[in-house]
Each structure stands twice: as structure tokens, then as C-alpha cells.
């Protein structure tokens, strides 16, 4: 077999995905494998064991990021790397993140099958807490790796029970010794399901990801006044939940005012005291704004702040808005993008350029290494849902593109 005709083992990739999916099962066919839980540890342990069986050396950094390396003929060269994450949403699917990790492992297994030696090492990474569902913000460990956050910040991120990333890394045995960022990469590729409907609608197998839209996350606290639901006249109320409800609608209107790319989401809300016969005195809510143009994103933030003031001030509800995370729009490396496009074309896969609507670890890694991404379709564009679905054929196609893009960079 020539390198040009080299393909991955589709059945082995699928079987590995299904075996990993047994860890942290959801209630409706998906997964609940939250970052740094016992299920996450079990998934990590399985990945490490598989990589060691494939002849890889393993290192772990102080943010729990795992690096599995297959040596190259020139150990002085930095690795050509790939990877993603193993943690999921509370009602996550079998493919978000984990496909990118196990596609990397399948690349290594395929190289082993055919006795192919690369000049540069080939490496697969697992990034800690990409989802951000247990610890905010998302992608915090790849952010520490890229120097966006410092290590103390990363370790101090806490979940709703007050448990920190640092404490949980130590508890599950993945508090490594390597300093995040002291790990050069020649190039980095991340394979992922699209998490959107475009590839399926356009009947394309491969999305050549040229960049990612910007994101800004906010935490908003609205403070009114708790009072008796039966004795407080309507015109005397400072109902924080009524104000929050109006703000949710206003946030939705912000996205509609900036078509076609703007999206806005209120994904979490906590009401206090959360009693059926007490007027809500406070509401905590999260706001997610996204757009591929940073100037438009700034305009959307201004509109959020104006809407909050316009709704809350007239009714005497106090509003506090904290911007907890910003990720600017990303343009990926032109050479890495070209390698993905070339690999997709050579394999005969229908492909198209695409902008990622979601954040990925690759967005932060692009700050410190030449980076690109590969998308494959998922049914109806559904993700962050237990019904998330992708075909073995499409996943293998994405893995084949990953294989050849990495081979090109590892041989140069």
C-alpha cells in the first residue's frame, strides 16, 4: 500500500468510540462524563492504556492535559499533534470531543499497522475541561497552555459545590508535573463533528475549518426585593424574575438584529429564594454572545448592557454584569488549512470551507502553534444532546483527512 492510498481502520475507530461511550452513560443513549469526575478519570485511564499499548509515551501537565507521543525519526523535532477532549455536557453525546481524541489514536494505530515512520513525532492530546459545564470558563486548560490564563487561575476554577480544578486533578490522579505551555508543537489539528447543520445540508463530507467565531460570556445578577406573593400589590413589586424574563427576550432580539451569523443564548438561570409564594428577590443568569466579527460582537455587548439598564432601572431592580470570558474571532494557519483541503481533495471527499460556530481547544492552541480543524457532519446538526449522531463512514473520512494532513506536516 502506498501512502497515498493509506486509510484508517473504520471499524476499529467506531468500536473505540462505542467502548469509550460506556463510561459515564447518560439516561437517553448519550454520555454524562463531566470534567474531573470519576467517570472522566475512567475515560482518561482507558485512553492512556490504549496509547501505551500502541507504543506511546505519556506526559501530563499541571492542568491535567495528557500528551501521548509516538516517536519520530528525528527526536529534535517538535511533534505534529492532534486531539480534543473527553469530558462531556451533562446530557452530551458520544462524539463531541471524544471523536477528535480517538481519531488521533486511530492515526497512530494505522501508522503502526503499516510500519510507517515519520520524521517528527506524532502526538495525541486530551485537554481538560473543554466543555466548561462543570468549571467555567470553557477550554480553560488549553487556555492555560496557550498563556491566556495563568496556572493559579486555572487551578482555582470551582464548580457549584466549591470544588476546584486543582483539587479535583489531585483527587483523580491527573495533576501532572509538566508546566503547561512548555510543550512545543510543530502543528496542531483537531477533528470534530460539526455541531451544526451546514455540511449535511450541503451534502459535504468534510468541513475545512478556516477559523472560529468570537465568543463573550457574561454572568448577570439581577437583585430586586423578596416579598409575599399574596399581599404585595403589583405596582409595589421589584420582581427580579420578571426583569430577567424581559432580558432573555431582549438578548434573543440582539441576535436577530445581526443576521445571519449572530447567536445569543441564556443557558443557565438560578432564582432565589425559589419559593412558589415568594416574589423572586434575585436571579443569576449566564449570557453567551457569538459572532465571527469582533466589531459586531462589541456592538452586541453594548446592546446587552443597554437592554439590561433599560429593563431594570425603571422598576428598581439592580443589575450587575460581569464579563467572565472573551475569545476573539480566530483565523487558522493557512498552511495547515491547505493541508486539510489537500487531503480531503486527494481522497475524493466533497468538502467546503467553514467557520466554526463553537469554541474548541484548537482556538487557544492556534495562539502558540500552527493550527487547523476538520469537521464531519452530524445528524440534523444536533450536539450537546444525547441524541447526537454521526455515521461510521463520515467519522472514518474525517480521520483519513486527519491522517494525511498530519503525515504531510510530520514529513516536511
Amino acid at each position: 500500500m502506498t501512502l497515498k492510498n493509506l486509510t484508517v481502520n473504520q471499524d476499529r475507530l467506531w468500536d473505540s468510540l462505542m467502548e469509550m461511550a460506556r463510561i459515564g452513560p447518560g439516561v437517553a443513549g448519550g454520555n454524562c462524563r463531566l470534567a474531573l469526575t470519576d467517570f472522566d478519570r475512567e475515560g482518561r485511564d482507558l485512553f492512556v492504556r490504549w496509547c501505551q499499548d500502541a507504543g506511546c509515551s505519556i506526559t501530563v501537565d499541571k492542568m491535567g492535559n495528557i500528551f501521548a507521543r509516538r516517536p519520530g525519526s528525528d527526536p529534535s523535532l517538535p511533534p505534529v499533534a492532534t486531539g480534543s477532549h473527553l469530558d462531556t455536557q451533562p446530557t452530551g453525546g458520544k462524539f463531541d470531543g471524544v471523536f477528535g481524541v480517538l481519531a488521533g489514536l486511530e492515526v497512530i494505530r494505522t501508522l503502526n499497522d503499516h510500519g510507517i515512520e515519520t520524521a517528527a513525532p506524532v502526538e495525541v492530546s486530551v485537554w481538560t475541561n473543554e466543555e466548561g459545564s462543570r468549571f467555567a470558563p470553557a477550554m480553560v486548560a488549553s487556555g492555560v497552555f496557550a498563556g491566556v490564563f495563568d496556572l493559579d487561575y486555572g487551578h482555582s476554577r470551582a464548580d457549584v459545590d466549591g470544588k476546584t480544578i486543582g483539587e479535583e486533578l489531585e483527587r483523580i490522579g491527573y495533576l501532572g508535573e509538566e508546566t503547561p505551555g512548555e510543550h512545543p508543537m510543530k502543528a496542531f489539528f483537531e477533528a470534530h463533528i460539526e455541531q451544526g447543520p451546514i455540511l449535511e445540508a450541503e451534502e459535504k463530507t468534510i468541513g475545512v475549518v478556516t477559523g472560529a467565531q468570537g465568543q463573550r460570556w457574561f454572568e448577570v445578577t439581577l437583585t430586586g426585593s423578596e416579598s409575599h406573593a399574596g399581599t404585595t400589590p403589583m405596582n409595589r413589586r421589584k420582581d427580579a424574575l420578571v426583569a430577567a424574563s424581559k432580558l432573555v427576550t431582549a438578548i434573543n432580539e440582539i441576535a436577530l438584529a445581526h443576521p445571519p451569523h449572530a447567536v445569543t443564548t441564556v443557558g443557565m438561570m438560578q432564582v432565589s429564594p425559589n419559593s412558589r409564594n415568594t416574589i423572586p428577590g434575585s436571579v443569576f443568569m449566564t449570557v453567551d454572545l457569538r459572532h465571527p466579527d469582533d466589531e459586531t460582537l462589541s456592538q452586541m455587548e453594548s446592546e446587552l448592557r443597554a437592554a439590561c439598564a433599560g429593563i431594570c432601572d425603571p422598576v428598581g431592580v439592580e443589575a450587575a454584569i460581569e464579563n467572565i470570558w472573551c475569545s476573539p474571532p480566530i483565523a487558522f494557519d493557512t498552511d495547515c488549512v491547505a493541508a486539510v483541503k489537500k487531503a480531503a481533495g486527494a481522497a475524493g471527499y466533497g468538502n467546503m470551507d467553514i467557520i466554526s460556530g463553537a469554541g474548541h481547544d484548537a482556538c487557544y492552541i492556534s495562539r502558540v502553534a500552527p493550527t487547523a480543524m476538520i469537521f464531519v457532519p452530524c445528524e440534523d446538526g444536533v450536539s450537546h444532546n444525547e441524541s447526537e449522531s454521526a455515521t461510521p463512514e463520515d467519522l472514518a473520512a474525517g480521520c483519513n483527512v486527519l491522517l494525511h494532513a498530519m503525515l504531510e506536516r510530520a514529513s516536511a
Side-chain angles (χ1 to χ4, degrees), residues 261-285:
H261 299 299
V263 289
T264 58
T265 305
V266 175
M268 179 188 294
M269 185 177 288
Q270 296 171 337
V271 180
S272 179
N274 209 30
S275 171
R276 68 179 66 235
N277 63 347
T278 300
I279 297 165
S282 68
V283 173
F284 168 86
M285 57 195 290

Side-chain angles (χ1 to χ4, degrees), residues 218 220-222 239-257 263-271 283-289 303-312 321:
F218 301 86
V220 179
T221 302
L222 305 182
D239 190 323
L241 183 55
V242 170
S245 301
K246 293 178 179 179
L247 184 57
V248 171
T249 299
I251 290 166
N252 193 65
E253 293 297 326
I254 290 170
L256 295 175
V263 289
T264 58
T265 305
V266 175
M268 179 188 294
M269 185 177 288
Q270 296 171 337
V271 180
V283 173
F284 168 86
M285 57 195 290
T286 62
V287 181
D288 182 326
L289 308 182
E303 292 171 10
L304 165 66
R305 295 182 181 278
C308 196
I311 290 166
C312 295
I321 303 177

